[in-house]
Amino acid sequence: GPGDVLRLSLYGEPTLTQPEVAIQPDGRVSFLEAHDVLAAGLTIDELRATLDEVLARYRRAPRAMVAPLSFHSRKYFMLGKVAQKGVFTLDRPITVVEAVARAKGFETGLSGRNLVELADLSRSFLVRHGTRAPVDFERLFAAGDLSQNIPVEPGDYFYFPPAAVREIQLLGEVTAAGPVTFTENLT
């Protein structure tokens, strides 16, 4: 896909190697006489066959070699109460737990003198292909049920909503002004 980087060469012609060729935003790639060849959506073998076909107009029996170097077109999205929100590259197979770990885990805050996670796992969800995927984040992260630790797919959207932690704003001449978790017996 667009943004992926390939190493292109011709068999028996090491001087013609192009070590880093990025697939352009329009999904096309150029190599030697083969200009603007559509690469997006093709497998490595399909791209190799297409390059061979185009280069055959200019060379005798060309055998293109295509090696992927890095993937940047496959992405997943993390939002809500994770420490690092944003778009992440799916450069290798990962699971839900690894995806949360890449986002530096869940945000935490103080409740009294205890450190608590601010994500509401019972209301968290994963959207895949426009529908919610059947992942129970509470069972996965709180109970350790690894049957919920499914592989992440390109385009997955994770959302971890804030927990119902009530806060008040502490102001004035105090050591640490700012939000403080509200508890019933707070003085």
Side-chain angles (χ1 to χ4, degrees):
D4 293 346
V5 180
L6 308 171
R7 180 174 197 248
L8 302 175
S9 58
L10 277 182
Y11 180 76
E13 298 284 345
T15 59
L16 299 178
T17 298
Q18 291 184 0
E20 291 187 11
V21 178
I23 298 176
Q24 300 304 309
D26 64 358
R28 298 184 180 278
V29 68
S30 294
F31 175 59
L32 302 174
E33 295 89 3
H35 298 284
D36 294 326
V37 174
L38 184 62
L42 300 179
T43 65
I44 297 298
D45 290 334
E46 291 170 338
L47 178 58
R48 183 181 301 120
T50 302
L51 288 171
D52 286 347
E53 181 182 322
V54 174
L55 291 172
R57 297 179 201 149
Y58 306 97
R59 299 173 177 274
R60 193 174 320 143
R63 290 192 349 201
M65 295 188 296
V66 179
L69 296 179
S70 62
F71 296 101
H72 300 286
S73 62
R74 299 165 27 137
K75 301 186 182 315
Y76 64 95
F77 310 89
M78 299 286 282
L79 293 173
K81 290 296 183 177
V82 288
Q84 183 179 343
K85 300 158 190 56
V87 180
F88 294 83
T89 301
L90 189 57
D91 54 354
R92 62 180 176 80
I94 65 168
T95 62
V96 171
V97 170
E98 288 177 280
V100 171
R102 280 187 174 184
K104 310 283 190 253
F106 300 113
E107 287 184 13
T108 57
L110 287 175
S111 177
R113 293 184 179 199
N114 299 319
L115 193 63
V116 295
E117 288 182 348
L118 299 178
D120 184 349
L121 297 176
S122 67
R123 295 185 308 129
S124 298
F125 59 87
L126 163 62
V127 174
R128 178 174 288 166
H129 308 298
T131 58
R132 284 188 178 205
V135 177
D136 186 334
F137 291 100
E138 205 166 28
R139 280 180 41 201
L140 175 60
F141 290 104
D145 181 359
L146 293 179
S147 69
Q148 302 298 307
N149 193 22
I150 64 172
V152 175
E153 293 182 7
D156 280 359
Y157 164 71
F158 293 86
Y159 182 66
F160 298 96
V165 176
R166 297 185 300 174
E167 295 180 332
I168 60 171
Q169 294 295 323
L170 186 59
L171 304 173
E173 295 295 322
V174 294
T175 304
V180 175
T181 304
F182 175 79
T183 57
E184 295 301 320
N185 298 324
L186 187 66
T187 60

